[in-house]
Amino acid sequence: LINRQFLNGDGRQNAGAGFVIRAIPALQRIVNQATHSLVTPGRPPSPGVASLLGVGDEAGQQSYITFDRGRIYLLTVRARNDTLNFAAIERLRGLLQQTQSEVPGVNVGLTGGPVLDYDEMRQSQHDSIVASIVSLVLCSLIFIVSYRQLNSPLKAAFCLVIGLGYTIGFTTLAIGSLNILTITFAPMLIGLAIDFGIHFISRYEEETRHGRPAMEAVQKTMTFTGQGIVTGAFTTAAAFLAMSLTHFKGIQQMGIISGGGLVLCLIPMLTLLPVLLLRRRPASNQQTRPFAERRGRIEHFWLQRPRFVVWLTLALCAGAALQFHKVYFDYDLLHLQSKDLPAVIYEQRLIKSASQSVIFGAVIADDLRQAQEYAAKLKQLPSVANVQSVVDYLAEDQTKKLQLVRAIKSEVQDLQFAPIDPRPVDIHELDPTLWALMGFLGLAAEAAQPQDPSLARQLRTLRESILQLRKAMFSGQPQVPAQLTQFQQVLFTDLHQTFAALKNQDASGPLRPQDLPPTLRHRFIGVTGKYLLQVYPKKDIWQHDNQREFLQELQSVIPEDKVDGTPRELYQYTTLLKNSYQQAAWYALGAIVIMVYLHFRSLVAVILALLPVAIGTAWLLGFMGATGIPFNPANIMTLPLVIGIGVTNGIQILNRLAEERKPDIFARSTGKAVLVSGLTAIIGFGSLILAKHQGIRSLGIVMTIGIASCMIAALTFLPALLSILMRRGWTLKLGSQEAK
């Protein structure tokens, strides 16, 4: 037909030429799809007659959700139910890989909420395993190097592994599963629970160096240092368990797993470890005395200048306070994702290429009248960019459309199609026709070039596409005739069905919900007859302030129980998370104050034990403000944890002070244990810095800085302050009713 049109005209000047020009886009798609059917196994999909009847690329895009001006096409897929999400993701990825192998050069990816959850959970599992191994190895090495022996540190590490086994069993019984945050419990417990063994072994070896028998050394260690270990363990566990009092389920689980795990790790450290130590007397520690003397000389430097240390500490706190105003909370969950995950990469491409937000608020209307009313109100809101629904299709004045539908029906009513030819395509008969068309297109392009270069370019592109089709036809593959036959059949079947739908279109009255295409009806009208309105915001909806503004405006014109969707979920999730951790911090502080008071029976001792925590927290906030590190939904966990972990240093120091009435502890086993246990806790949380998940990584960074700050304050400021207080006659008696 096209060749005859060329033969009957001069290429531009008659009606036949105009027909050819208008047909070029449809011809281009048919040729491209025919070529695609030859290189893709299986039955070819329908070419989509609706797109062939349009002009240019825009008509072909109307049936799809597109981004980046038609460069990205989006297909939305849902699993049959949530339990099948992971299986569906793996199956989809298999299909995508198959597609990429069948169609070289295609750029296709998978993203979306369930995909991101699945990928980030797997990434977190990998990060947690790596962090746990690194933490266990480095903590053991620090222990071994610090004590110049292998025997005792390995015994403590063995007890730690036993405790972790208890914790895994406890988690299985109490919770049953892990989430993206609770999966990090192992490296944290390794860094914290090894402290119990460090303090116990340090004191035990100190007693044996003084000539005490092994049994007596264990008894004294258990009597004095053991009290501090138990109190420190329960205060840190209290910081975790305080999280279980919040209203956020993920935080509750984190508190139960980690708090219960610490208590369970304490059991083998106070039962199995003493038995293991009694089986073999520690090696001589004469070689450690020079190191102890060196630590003593270092500590002597600041104990001789206690006022200077106190004033320097206060000055550093004042400097840090100047940075407090720069510390903020980053609510944006996109900043927590693993940047290198394919699902995250495609998510970012969609966000950056979209002309509006890809996230929308959901408003539910009971009927069409209410949906129309809501849509009118929503479109007037300053924060709303667009409202998508079926209201415009069903509620508008359809008089003109009905007239057009009747005219189209009248036009196509007498059209009759010949039966679809079932015979195989004869490629040897088709090829000369295509060859002739290539010649006509080449001549037409030359003729059109001076007056219409754009048309000439279209003609050459079509000519090149036909050449590629001819090459595919004679590629030597035996299935080519059958594939072309199937393509021909689906093309004409689609054509017949399209015109049959036009003929049978009901034009007797306005459009009804059941007249809508299934994709629209299922998306916007529920099985109960309620209507969905998708409300798209103007501003970046990942920002907390924009979420609040958007929701407040929606709820100002729509009842709150009618408003839902991702913006509301994000706002409520991040707000509840932040408030829950702040609440947990207060609960932890209250529980710790009570436990420390019950241990020392002294309010002054409570304040002294908490001072390193307060100073370390001030330094942490100052560092975060100066370096631009924000709090976020992952590292906000720092608030209760720094309190629980940091206070153990003060407890051990005050415990030793109450026993020996001397503020110098750095040269003794307690100071060494505080230092080594601080380093292992830093390693435990610092191993999370290796994570690719940005939220977990930020938790590792902030906790490392916080623990280090509290440890430095405990080893320098607290002994200096105790020295000043003792010179003025203050003393602390462990177990007495009140300090003097």
Side-chain angles (χ1 to χ4, degrees), residues 144-374:
I144 292 169
V145 171
S146 300
Y147 288 87
R148 297 293 194 277
Q149 59 168 298
L150 188 63
N151 184 41
S152 296
L154 288 182
K155 291 176 179 178
F158 175 72
C159 294
L160 174 61
V161 172
I162 297 296
L164 290 176
Y166 292 162
T167 304
I168 293 173
F170 166 73
T171 302
T172 303
L173 292 174
I175 306 297
S177 62
L178 298 174
N179 58 49
I180 199 168
L181 286 180
T182 57
I183 200 170
T184 61
F185 80 91
M188 291 192 296
L189 285 186
I190 290 172
L192 295 175
I194 194 69
D195 295 357
F196 308 150
I198 290 172
H199 283 284
F200 196 97
I201 291 174
S202 296
R203 183 60 184 271
Y204 170 76
E205 292 187 347
E206 180 183 2
E207 296 301 328
T208 57
R209 283 199 305 271
H210 292 162
R212 288 187 174 86
M215 180 60 74
E216 184 179 341
V218 166
Q219 291 175 343
K220 188 167 184 180
T221 300
M222 190 73 76
T223 301
F224 292 98
T225 302
Q227 293 185 48
I229 292 174
V230 171
T231 303
F234 276 93
T235 53
T236 306
F240 279 109
L241 292 172
M243 300 180 188
S244 65
L245 301 177
T246 65
H247 301 292
F248 196 91
K249 186 175 181 180
I251 299 177
Q252 293 174 354
Q253 293 180 352
M254 186 68 180
I256 293 171
I257 293 171
S258 299
L262 272 176
V263 175
L264 291 171
C265 288
L266 177 66
I267 295 173
M269 290 296 186
L270 294 183
T271 56
L272 180 59
L273 181 59
V275 174
L276 295 176
L277 292 175
L278 288 174
R279 292 183 63 85
R280 181 175 179 270
R281 186 177 179 83
S284 174
N285 288 278
Q286 294 296 325
Q287 68 271 24
T288 65
R289 290 183 179 177
F291 296 100
E293 293 173 358
R294 188 179 304 169
R295 294 198 307 272
R297 288 195 298 270
I298 294 173
E299 184 181 44
H300 182 73
F301 174 80
W302 63 71
L303 286 182
Q304 290 297 312
R305 303 166 180 82
R307 288 183 174 81
F308 172 77
V309 173
V310 171
W311 284 111
L312 176 62
T313 302
L314 295 177
L316 291 175
C317 290
L322 297 177
Q323 304 295 321
F324 286 178
H325 68 283
K326 298 180 181 179
V327 181
Y328 65 98
F329 190 89
D330 183 4
Y331 289 91
D332 195 337
L333 297 181
L334 295 179
H335 294 165
L336 303 184
Q337 297 175 330
S338 305
K339 295 181 180 179
D340 298 332
L341 289 177
V344 175
I345 293 173
Y346 277 95
E347 173 198 45
Q348 293 293 337
R349 287 185 61 184
L350 288 179
I351 292 174
K352 293 176 181 178
S353 64
S355 59
Q356 65 181 25
S357 173
V358 296
I359 295 177
F360 56 85
V363 172
I364 308 300
D366 295 330
D367 50 43
L368 180 59
R369 181 198 59 77
Q370 191 178 70
Q372 187 177 10
E373 176 187 339
Y374 285 173

Side-chain angles (χ1 to χ4, degrees), residues 5-249:
Q5 295 293 340
F6 272 112
L7 286 171
N8 294 334
D10 59 5
R12 282 194 63 117
Q13 302 301 322
N14 59 15
F19 164 77
V20 172
I21 292 172
R22 291 193 300 272
I24 288 176
L27 284 171
Q28 182 73 59
R29 295 189 186 96
I30 290 176
V31 172
N32 289 342
Q33 291 165 346
T35 306
H36 178 71
S37 72
L38 297 182
V39 298
T40 305
R43 182 176 178 81
S46 171
V49 171
S51 65
L52 300 181
L53 296 178
V55 178
D57 292 336
E58 292 181 1
Q61 295 166 13
Q62 292 174 356
S63 301
Y64 300 92
I65 304 172
T66 64
F67 294 87
D68 197 13
R69 291 171 294 185
R71 294 182 62 200
I72 299 176
Y73 286 73
L74 181 66
L75 301 178
T76 57
V77 184
R78 292 183 182 273
R80 294 184 183 276
N81 56 66
D82 290 343
T83 61
L84 297 176
N85 274 342
F86 292 171
I89 291 168
E90 290 296 335
R91 177 58 179 152
L92 284 171
R93 285 195 164 136
L95 293 173
L96 295 184
Q97 290 178 355
Q98 181 181 346
T99 302
Q100 288 175 313
S101 65
E102 294 171 352
V103 189
V106 67
N107 187 1
V108 60
L110 187 66
T111 189
V115 184
L116 290 167
D117 292 342
Y118 177 62
D119 285 356
E120 292 198 330
M121 189 62 190
R122 292 205 308 176
Q123 182 66 65
S124 298
Q125 288 176 337
H126 176 268
D127 291 343
S128 179
I129 292 172
V130 171
S132 299
I133 294 173
V134 170
S135 177
L136 184 59
V137 171
L138 291 183
C139 287
S140 299
L141 286 176
I142 289 176
F143 203 168
I144 292 169
V145 171
S146 300
Y147 288 87
R148 297 293 194 277
Q149 59 168 298
L150 188 63
N151 184 41
S152 296
L154 288 182
K155 291 176 179 178
F158 175 72
C159 294
L160 174 61
V161 172
I162 297 296
L164 290 176
Y166 292 162
T167 304
I168 293 173
F170 166 73
T171 302
T172 303
L173 292 174
I175 306 297
S177 62
L178 298 174
N179 58 49
I180 199 168
L181 286 180
T182 57
I183 200 170
T184 61
F185 80 91
M188 291 192 296
L189 285 186
I190 290 172
L192 295 175
I194 194 69
D195 295 357
F196 308 150
I198 290 172
H199 283 284
F200 196 97
I201 291 174
S202 296
R203 183 60 184 271
Y204 170 76
E205 292 187 347
E206 180 183 2
E207 296 301 328
T208 57
R209 283 199 305 271
H210 292 162
R212 288 187 174 86
M215 180 60 74
E216 184 179 341
V218 166
Q219 291 175 343
K220 188 167 184 180
T221 300
M222 190 73 76
T223 301
F224 292 98
T225 302
Q227 293 185 48
I229 292 174
V230 171
T231 303
F234 276 93
T235 53
T236 306
F240 279 109
L241 292 172
M243 300 180 188
S244 65
L245 301 177
T246 65
H247 301 292
F248 196 91
K249 186 175 181 180

Side-chain angles (χ1 to χ4, degrees), residues 400-479:
K400 292 182 178 180
K401 285 189 176 182
L402 289 172
Q403 292 175 353
L404 182 59
V405 170
R406 295 187 187 107
I408 293 173
K409 288 186 62 176
S410 175
E411 187 76 20
V412 303
Q413 196 65 42
D414 295 332
L415 281 177
Q416 299 294 329
F417 289 93
I420 298 175
D421 189 351
R423 294 176 300 172
V425 172
D426 187 341
I427 60 175
H428 297 287
E429 182 181 349
L430 175 61
D431 183 57
T433 304
L434 295 176
W435 181 82
L437 180 55
M438 287 178 59
F440 287 129
L441 291 171
L443 293 173
E446 291 180 6
Q449 181 64 38
Q451 292 82 19
D452 196 340
S454 176
L455 174 60
R457 188 163 50 251
Q458 283 184 289
L459 292 167
R460 292 193 189 97
T461 301
L462 177 57
R463 185 178 186 277
E464 179 62 28
S465 297
I466 294 173
L467 177 61
Q468 297 302 320
L469 173 59
R470 292 179 63 214
K471 289 181 179 179
M473 286 167 49
F474 293 97
S475 61
Q477 300 296 326
Q479 73 273 16

Side-chain angles (χ1 to χ4, degrees), residues 139 142 191-192 194-195 198 675-685:
C139 287
I142 289 176
L192 295 175
I194 194 69
D195 295 357
I198 290 172
L675 175 63
V676 175
S677 64
L679 292 176
T680 56
I682 290 172
I683 291 296
F685 283 94

Side-chain angles (χ1 to χ4, degrees), residues 232 235-240 581-593 596 609-610 612-614 616-617 620 637-651 703 706-707 710:
T235 53
T236 306
F240 279 109
Y581 272 121
Q582 291 175 336
Q583 185 182 23
W586 287 110
Y587 288 157
L589 181 61
I592 288 168
V593 167
V596 175
L610 289 173
V613 178
T617 302
L620 168 64
M637 187 192 305
T638 303
L639 292 177
L641 294 189
V642 164
I643 298 173
I645 297 171
V647 77
T648 59
N649 298 324
I651 291 172
M703 282 301 300
I707 294 172
C710 292

